[in-house]
Amino acid sequence: MGKKRIAIQTEEELLKEREKVEAKVKKEVTVTLKKFKEGKIYISSTYNNTIISLTDLQGNVLGWVSAGSIGFKGTKKATPFAASKVAEAISQVAKKFGIEKVAISVKGIGSGRESAIRSLATRGLEIISIKDATPIPHNGCRPPKVRRV
């Protein structure tokens, strides 16, 4: 196999690397300290999970929370209770950014749609609009060709 060698960095290389890391951290901190008045919330509710994203008005994601990230596992992720807990968590993120007014866009056919919206309303966020963006098939896919026996 050969000898194992330990790579030793010089002090100059370590300082350069440290400056790069500190610059990245400063950049991330300045982005998170921005305050917004309005935002958009996207609720994606499926049969398996509920995911809620918080964005600014341009669509840049500020934060997201899902039922799985909170700690629900298996079929419990798809319940309305889990969706309301996810909405509570995203409302705390919105409060951190100073967002008071939100436009909600809902997508999907899961059971957590209405409970997430109700929970957002009770947590003190002013809802400007609610839009249903669930994709609807129009005309469907092509049927199979006729079977000849």
Side-chain angles (χ1 to χ4, degrees):
M1 286 194 46
K3 277 191 170 181
K4 294 185 178 162
R5 295 187 181 133
I6 300 171
I8 301 172
Q9 291 181 331
T10 64
E11 285 186 36
E12 292 175 15
E13 291 173 347
L14 288 171
L15 286 173
K16 285 180 185 177
E17 193 173 329
R18 184 176 181 186
E19 287 173 3
K20 285 181 188 177
V21 170
E22 286 176 355
K24 276 188 179 179
V25 168
K26 280 186 182 178
K27 186 178 178 184
E28 289 176 9
V29 167
T30 55
V31 169
T32 56
L33 292 179
K34 283 185 181 177
K35 295 290 181 184
F36 302 96
K37 292 286 181 199
E38 294 184 16
K40 293 181 182 177
I41 290 182
Y42 294 91
I43 301 172
S44 174
S45 179
T46 65
Y47 288 128
N48 297 321
N49 204 352
T50 301
I51 303 168
I52 301 181
S53 301
L54 173 70
T55 67
D56 58 4
L57 292 178
Q58 285 74 39
N60 302 319
V61 177
L62 303 174
W64 64 271
V65 181
S66 70
S69 69
I70 289 179
F72 290 97
K73 289 186 177 181
T75 55
K76 294 180 185 78
K77 289 192 296 186
T79 60
F81 177 72
S84 65
K85 289 295 180 188
V86 172
E88 287 176 14
I90 205 74
S91 67
Q92 289 174 354
V93 174
K95 294 276 194 239
K96 193 188 307 180
F97 281 103
I99 293 176
E100 296 153 3
K101 296 181 180 180
V102 292
I104 298 175
S105 178
V106 184
K107 183 183 272 191
I109 47 178
S111 60
R113 293 163 43 113
E114 287 94 28
S115 64
I117 294 171
R118 281 198 187 100
S119 183
L120 285 171
T122 58
R123 296 294 281 187
L125 291 173
E126 185 181 333
I127 297 173
I128 299 170
S129 66
I130 300 172
K131 178 183 169 187
D132 189 5
T134 306
I136 301 169
H138 44 281
N139 210 9
C141 36
R142 185 175 175 178
K145 63 182 183 181
V146 180
R147 185 168 175 249
R148 293 190 298 256
V149 180

